[in-house]
Structure formats: structure tokens, C-alpha cells
Amino acid sequence: MASSLVLPSTAQLAGHWQLHQGDQVCALDLQEQANRLGGDVACVAQWLGEKPLTWSPTPDGIWLMNAEGSGITHLNRQAEGEYEGRTKSGAVVALRRTP
């Protein structure tokens, strides 16, 4: 049986995003070149417990990874331009593409 999940390209996901935790927001840029992260990475690190430096698309979401390339958190696709995951403490974070 064929899977309905398709791996998006980095070009499809690259761009300006916002990571939300409750009413707090951190700007995050998914950069196509070398899958680097830009924006307010220090803000995001406060929630995730580690500083994410790179990202990688998966068929069902996006991995945010540390300097060693280990996954910090997986954000599951909820809808077009919207992903959701949990921090190490269990708090929900949502990644949304900015218009």
C-alpha cells in the first residue's frame, strides 16, 4: 500500500516562520542553504532547552536539530503551514508560516 505522505523539499519549507508557545512568539527562519536556522534562535532555545542550528523536512513534519545534528524536537504537520510539537518539559509549541 502506498503512503500518502510526501517528503517536502527544503525549498518548499524555507522562509519566515514563527514559533509560538502560548501567547509568546519567536521569529524563526528556515533557510534553504545548508538547512540552517536563522531568526531569534536564542528565543527558541529557551523553550526547547537546546539551541537549534539546523532543520530537516520529514514526510510528516520538521525536525529541529542541535549542533551535533541530533534531533531536539519533531514538529508534526497539522495543516498547510502549521506544525506542532512538544518541548522537553512537555509544553506545546506551534510553528506557523508568516504571511
Side-chain angles (χ1 to χ4, degrees):
M1 185 164 87
S3 173
S4 63
L5 297 176
V6 176
L7 180 65
S9 71
T10 54
Q12 290 173 304
L13 295 175
H16 301 295
W17 296 75
Q18 291 180 333
L19 190 69
H20 298 256
Q21 182 178 345
D23 60 354
Q24 298 178 308
V25 179
C26 298
L28 196 60
D29 294 328
L30 303 184
Q31 300 172 356
E32 186 176 0
Q33 184 178 4
N35 288 36
R36 294 184 48 200
L37 285 173
D40 197 351
V41 178
C43 176
V44 173
Q46 292 177 32
W47 299 340
L48 301 181
E50 288 184 66
K51 185 176 182 180
L53 295 179
T54 60
W55 64 281
S56 180
T58 67
D60 62 344
I62 299 171
W63 268 109
L64 298 182
M65 294 172 284
N66 62 19
E68 291 78 38
S70 299
I72 296 173
T73 191
H74 185 263
L75 302 162
N76 295 300
R77 186 177 189 274
Q78 302 298 307
E80 183 68 33
E82 186 167 337
Y83 296 80
E84 193 173 277
R86 293 198 176 267
T87 66
K88 290 179 182 179
S89 67
V92 174
V93 291
L95 183 68
R96 296 185 186 113
R97 187 181 288 276
T98 58

